[in-house]
Amino acid sequence: ESVLHALWMFLPAYVANMSPGLVAKLIPGWKAPIDGGRLGKDGKRILGPGKTWRGLVGGTLLGGVTAGLVAIGAFHWDLMAGWDYGANDFNPNNALGAPNEEDAKIYESHPALIVLFGAFVGFMSLVGDAVKSYFKRRIGKDRGRPWVPFDQLDFVVFGLAAMALASPLLADGWVKAALLDDWIILATLVILTPFLHFLVNVLGYVLKLKEVPW
Ligand code: CTP
Ligand code: MG
């Protein structure tokens, strides 16, 4: 169950990381690269043609939308009760999802701030992806070549850091409880994500959304 909770609450980062490929299909004409085509001192592109403003903007918007849907979904899905970014009845003294005592102090996240939280997590996930590309170019790996495990984990590290940084947007203590109360949550995200990343990319390749299966 903790594994599902981890994947569930990290959905904004997962969706943001998958969205550039989808947005690329929707708006193929807008491909302005973040690095503006500039080269580093080593003669290689700073980030490369695979890191576009379109991807960054799309991932930010979809990250926000996803967080909103996750919060709404958790209200109506008992399995994920409490894993709603604190949208409903969060009591930092109880385990996430446990029912509140009547006299308990209750915190709630504002819906608009939940969407903002998701957008920030999505944005930072793709900043992580771009930072990864910066180092990938510096060691001479061209755009689209595999670089395990950095291609898989870039957005996890930045997505988690974003959650911690943006935690004041949500009900007091929610992010801390979600990430740290149960060690399985962080372990799931770090260990399972590379496998999921691989599966999703193979699927994207089979569906012809991606040119390479990694
Ligand atoms: N993409 C984008 N903008 C971003 C990130 C990704 O447009 N900020 C799109 C690009 O079309 C990219 C595809 O999503 O080719 C897959 O993303 P990713 O695997 O992260 O990029 P790579 O092309 O593999 O480039 P790199 O080697 O720099 O990681
Ligand atoms: Mg890649």
Side-chain angles (χ1 to χ4, degrees), residues 20-21 50-52 54-56 129 132-133 136-137 142-144:
K51 301 296 118 130
T52 65
R54 170 194 66 202
L56 196 61
D129 178 53
K132 182 275 317 274
S133 289
K136 201 169 165 183
R137 298 297 91 82
D142 283 333
R143 178 254 180 106

Side-chain angles (χ1 to χ4, degrees), residues 1-15:
E1 202 169 41
S2 296
V3 170
L4 287 178
H5 288 154
L7 302 179
W8 172 256
M9 67 94 186
F10 209 54
L11 270 175
Y14 287 133
V15 170

